Amino acid sequence: MDSNRLKCSSILLFFSVFLFPAMVVAIGVNYGQIANNLPSPENVIPLVRAIGASKVKLYDADPRVLKAFANTGVEFIVGLGNEYLAKMRDPDKALDWVKTNVQAYLPATKITYIAVGNEVLTFNDTSLSDNLVPAMQSVYTALVKLNLDKQVTITTAHSLAILEASYPPSSGAFRRDLRGCITQILNFHVKTASPFLINAYPYFAYKSNPKQVPIDFVLFQPNSGIVDPVSNLHYDNMLFAQIDAVHFALASLGFNKLPVQISETGWPSKGDQDEAGATLENAKKYNGNLMKLISQKKGTPLRPNCDLSIYVFALFNENMKPGPTSERNYGLFKPDGTPAYSIGFTGNIVANTSSDGPSTSTVKPPSAQSPPSAQSPPSATLPPGSSSTGYLSISSATGRLQFSSIGLFLCLLGFIELAFYTIQSLF
């Protein structure tokens, strides 16, 4: 590493620490790389640490990233792209892939999951969907042969567009045309003790109907919320409603105990004129309040005792992603490594990211809130065939802020001292 690169890395870490203060909240983050201006994987490590992420989700098995993160303790989901599904039906090819892309990096790099395909079912392409379960089975068999099945788990991520209904959450149901394939996937999850992954974006529901969907409901801001007329459960944010709609859909097929993880969720900081809500302030509120929620280790109304496992989308703005402007502006960081906005963590609480300034106020419990709005949000699902982000995503983990104010202060002093001596040595 040359001196200029080391200097840049040190300064970026020093700067990022103050906009993403040292928060030990075990979150996950999606690390997409559809861009030509991103920092090297070595320079990404301090950025991941600066936001307190302990889990990273890739959309491939990039050897540069996996080598760079060796011995960091960061857990990885590696991706096996949709274009490889047909080949992975062949057990020998699956075995070769696992040896090359997973076994070669263990145990130094902590690979814990392989995501086989991404949002396969909502491409409405039978050449993909017919190969999904056989590919998952072949890769799992390869893990068993290599005695890696106890440390690496097989799963696949889905778009919310696999749901036929999602509002109210108790009506959650999978699309009828997909139930056969989904049932096979769910049986695989039960057999291998692996979680069901869903990419959930309240932003899309708001964007499609901003006049009907209350902005505070999607941004985790204080609001009266809604009550599910069947379950009588109260929801004060759309993400929880979406997650529980998935739980209800699973229960309708007899899989009510299957764990659910959110493999992607996020909010764009910029969009086109017709992309309602895609602003820096809303992205700051969504991701800041989301991380606060994760740190509180609170479950959803239907699963209050289950820790949330969520991967934020995404680590960087990616300048080569196709589609509307919003697709290139989901990042927590700009390509130069500076934060896209401050998320507002302070000590062992997360400040409320409202435009009125930091606040430690929390959403009132249902009993203390005003009656639910008569204007209920529409279905939180995406239209069939939509794909939220192509092959990209963000991370998750159950999180807890473990630093007290004193601990945070000492940690910051340590970073300042490290940055000072590192920079001093360069001049």
Side-chain angles (χ1 to χ4, degrees):
M1 181 182 294
D2 59 45
S3 61
N4 287 335
R5 179 174 295 181
L6 179 59
K7 184 189 301 183
C8 176
S9 178
S10 301
I11 293 172
L12 288 180
L13 173 59
F14 177 78
F15 181 58
S16 297
V17 157
F18 287 95
L19 287 181
F20 294 95
M23 51 206 180
V24 183
V25 48
I27 63 170
V29 66
N30 284 275
Y31 182 1
Q33 300 183 76
I34 305 182
N36 60 6
N37 56 357
L38 299 182
S40 68
E42 291 79 9
N43 286 338
V44 171
I45 295 172
L47 302 182
V48 170
R49 287 175 170 160
I51 62 171
S54 63
K55 299 183 181 183
V56 170
K57 180 170 170 285
L58 298 177
Y59 294 90
D60 52 21
D62 188 336
R64 300 174 308 135
V65 175
L66 296 176
K67 288 177 183 177
F69 277 80
N71 303 309
T72 62
V74 175
E75 296 183 15
F76 273 86
I77 297 178
V78 296
L80 196 162
N82 294 349
E83 66 273 21
Y84 295 108
L85 296 182
K87 294 179 181 179
M88 290 303 107
R89 294 186 68 127
D90 183 334
D92 291 333
K93 291 181 179 177
L95 183 63
D96 289 342
W97 189 92
V98 172
K99 285 181 177 179
T100 301
N101 296 285
V102 178
Q103 187 182 41
Y105 302 100
L106 295 172
T109 303
K110 202 171 181 181
I111 299 172
T112 54
Y113 287 93
I114 301 172
V116 178
N118 187 60
E119 299 188 344
V120 170
L121 300 186
T122 42
F123 281 103
N124 295 321
D125 183 343
T126 55
S127 67
L128 291 177
S129 57
D130 290 349
N131 288 317
L132 179 57
V133 174
M136 294 172 72
Q137 291 172 334
S138 290
V139 177
Y140 176 72
T141 298
L143 290 176
V144 172
K145 286 185 177 181
L146 298 172
N147 294 316
L148 297 176
D149 56 302
K150 302 302 181 186
Q151 55 186 118
V152 182
T153 302
I154 305 297
T155 187
T156 187
H158 306 279
S159 161
L160 269 181
I162 62 174
L163 296 183
E164 183 174 88
S166 62
Y167 183 81
S170 60
S171 71
F174 294 111
R175 282 170 44 186
R176 275 171 256 189
D177 61 313
L178 298 179
R179 288 176 192 171
C181 185
I182 288 174
T183 299
Q184 294 181 50
I185 294 171
L186 299 180
N187 283 325
F188 175 87
H189 286 315
V190 171
K191 173 187 173 183
T192 62
S194 54
F196 187 78
L197 301 189
I198 196 79
N199 298 337
Y201 286 88
Y203 164 70
F204 288 121
Y206 180 79
K207 173 187 171 183
S208 66
N209 204 343
K211 293 183 179 180
Q212 297 296 321
V213 179
I215 187 67
D216 288 341
F217 187 69
V218 293
L219 295 179
F220 310 100
Q221 295 289 90
N223 69 98
S224 58
I226 60 101
V227 172
D228 188 305
V230 176
S231 68
N232 205 36
L233 294 172
H234 179 271
Y235 292 88
D236 57 28
N237 70 80
M238 181 174 283
L239 181 64
F240 278 12
Q242 291 178 333
I243 295 172
D244 278 356
V246 174
H247 281 299
F248 276 110
L250 291 170
S252 72
L253 295 182
F255 296 89
N256 59 318
K257 294 184 179 180
L258 193 65
V260 173
Q261 295 187 13
I262 306 306
S263 42
E264 293 184 22
T265 192
W267 196 282
S269 59
K270 185 179 180 181
D272 295 322
Q273 286 188 348
D274 62 347
E275 294 190 286
T279 68
L280 189 147
E281 188 64 24
N282 285 343
K284 176 180 176 180
K285 289 178 182 178
Y286 185 85
N287 285 321
N289 288 332
L290 171 65
M291 291 185 183
K292 176 181 179 180
L293 212 56
I294 295 172
S295 74
Q296 294 171 345
K297 299 180 72 70
K298 292 172 60 177
T300 67
L302 184 63
R303 297 284 190 273
N305 298 318
C306 294
D307 290 341
L308 294 173
S309 185
I310 297 177
Y311 288 77
V312 178
F313 188 86
L315 192 56
F316 292 106
N317 287 335
E318 299 169 71
N319 69 336
M320 296 181 70
K321 286 193 67 179
T325 297
S326 62
E327 287 292 321
R328 294 175 287 283
N329 289 278
Y330 275 88
L332 298 176
F333 289 99
K334 299 175 184 177
D336 64 0
T338 58
Y341 44 83
S342 171
I343 291 183
F345 278 89
T346 56
N348 62 351
I349 58 172
V350 183
N352 186 307
T353 51
S354 68
S355 57
D356 296 329
S359 166
T360 58
S361 63
T362 57
V363 178
K364 297 178 182 179
S367 60
Q369 293 184 356
S370 55
S373 170
Q375 185 62 63
S376 299
S379 174
T381 189
L382 299 176
S386 306
S387 177
S388 58
T389 48
Y391 84 92
L392 303 178
S393 266
I394 265 192
S395 126
S396 124
T398 58
R400 172 179 294 174
L401 293 176
Q402 298 173 342
F403 280 132
S404 64
S405 298
I406 294 176
L408 173 64
F409 177 71
L410 292 175
C411 183
L412 289 176
L413 283 180
F415 274 120
I416 293 170
E417 184 177 13
L418 173 62
F420 174 81
Y421 284 112
T422 303
I423 295 172
Q424 186 181 54
S425 68
L426 296 172
F427 293 98

